[in-house]
Amino acid sequence: MWFADMDQIIGRITTGGTISTYTDPGLEVPSSITAGPDGNMWFADQATVGRITPSGRITLYHDSSISTPSEIVAGSDGALWFTNSGNNTVGRITTSGTVTHYAGTGIDDPVGITAGPDGALWFTNNGNNSIGRITTAGVVTNYTGTGTDIDEPIDITTGPDGALWFTNYDNNSIGRITTAGVVSSFSDPSIDNSEGITAGPDGALWFTNIDNSIGRITAVPQISVSPISGPPGTPVTVSGEGYSPGELVTVAYKTGLSSPESVAVCSSTASPDGSFSCTDSIPTSDAGADGTHKIKEKGTTSLAKAATTFTLT
């Protein structure tokens, strides 16, 4: 793993814990680092963008448009993209060092940036409480959400659910925005001025809190049913999490028949933390044959889905 050390160092640590450090007279305050498409690591510094080879050779690229870059990420176009918080632009640098910058309307103190699942770059605007999107052609769109869904956003990452997730530093919440621009946020007393966020291998998002704690929030909707088996007409409680606050979540039972293929079981509104629960019964008629049947949930706004099974006896 490679890391940027604000004490004028680029570091490398092996999985065994061996640390190597590299420096250069031109290094100032490196703040972010990412793997480039050319096999090298690229990093953002106080007034430059740098490249370091696996052997530790550093090259710094200077351009008048680079102004306090905060974060850097590889884009779908084979270039590196970075946020310039000093001059309210988004920058692009090719692996050969050619720099371009974009000053689209609404870019205001950009901080975090990530490659989105739609091929565009998504970034946080800390200065005007918005999330920005820039295509690889430089077309900028900004999303403000409603209420306080976006409040001093810092970092942003692509979640395993195909949406973008970001930290809201000022209102102690984690935000989510779909590629269509639908924004929601999730609050919890344990979230305390969160800053960094990344997708974990467990299908959740992991984030840092200023109170020296690490937080975890479910990204992929989850579902459970209780009981898990029974005859037709069995009362069941279906619960889940990972939905947008306030959206209607519907539950359907798959019959295994040609008609009807499914029967509505129950529905309810997701709570502020994205959880959901409703109670009703497995259909008495049209329940299908004994055996395993799917029970599916779907969020009507986020279109997030989850499924589990119920065994008909």
Side-chain angles (χ1 to χ4, degrees):
M1 299 292 293
W2 289 77
F3 57 92
D5 188 324
M6 297 181 74
D7 193 22
Q8 300 175 313
I9 289 171
I10 299 298
R12 177 183 183 274
I13 183 169
T14 67
T15 54
T18 301
I19 297 175
S20 303
T21 59
Y22 306 91
T23 189
D24 183 276
L27 282 179
E28 294 185 44
V29 188
S31 59
S32 175
I33 192 166
T34 193
D38 57 349
N40 300 307
M41 303 301 295
W42 288 75
F43 57 90
D45 200 353
Q46 184 69 19
T48 64
V49 169
R51 182 189 71 184
I52 183 168
T53 66
S55 62
R57 182 179 178 182
I58 294 174
T59 305
L60 300 176
Y61 298 90
H62 298 271
D63 187 274
S64 60
S65 68
I66 301 176
S67 180
T68 320
S70 294
E71 289 195 8
I72 187 169
V73 70
S76 61
D77 59 345
L80 291 304
W81 290 76
F82 54 95
T83 50
N84 280 312
S85 60
N87 62 9
N88 299 327
T89 66
V90 172
R92 176 185 184 272
I93 184 170
T94 67
T95 54
S96 61
T98 301
V99 177
T100 310
H101 74 282
Y102 301 91
T105 301
I107 302 178
D108 189 353
D109 193 13
V111 182
I113 189 167
T114 191
D118 56 351
L121 289 303
W122 290 75
F123 57 94
T124 59
N125 284 307
N126 186 259
N128 63 9
N129 297 330
S130 70
I131 300 298
R133 175 185 184 271
I134 184 169
T135 68
T136 52
V139 179
V140 177
T141 309
N142 284 281
Y143 302 92
T144 57
T146 59
T148 57
D149 288 330
I150 307 174
D151 196 353
E152 289 195 26
I154 301 291
D155 199 12
I156 188 168
T157 192
T158 297
D161 57 346
L164 294 305
W165 291 74
F166 55 93
T167 51
N168 281 316
Y169 183 85
D170 200 44
N171 70 358
N172 299 329
S173 71
I174 301 299
R176 176 183 184 270
I177 182 170
T178 68
T179 52
V182 178
V183 181
S184 54
S185 63
F186 304 86
S187 301
D188 188 272
S190 66
I191 302 175
D192 186 11
N193 297 128
S194 54
E195 294 186 344
I197 189 168
T198 192
D202 57 350
L205 284 305
W206 291 76
F207 56 93
T208 58
N209 286 311
I210 201 171
D211 68 353
N212 300 325
S213 68
I214 301 296
R216 176 185 182 273
I217 183 169
T218 303
V220 179
Q222 297 180 0
I223 179 177
S224 63
V225 61
S226 180
I228 61 173
S229 64
T234 298
V236 293
T237 297
V238 184
S239 303
E241 59 180 354
Y243 294 91
S244 296
E247 76 170 321
L248 181 67
V249 183
T250 60
V251 178
Y253 169 87
K254 307 298 285 186
T255 66
L257 304 173
S258 58
S259 179
E261 294 183 356
S262 65
V263 176
V265 176
C266 59
S267 63
S268 189
T269 301
S271 63
D273 66 357
S275 62
F276 159 84
S277 180
C278 68
T279 301
D280 211 320
S281 299
I282 298 298
T284 302
S285 60
D286 297 323
D290 288 355
T292 301
H293 293 260
K294 283 188 177 181
I295 290 183
K296 293 187 174 182
E297 287 181 344
K298 181 179 180 180
T300 55
T301 302
S302 66
L303 304 183
K305 299 177 182 179
T308 187
T309 59
F310 179 87
T311 302
L312 194 68
T313 59

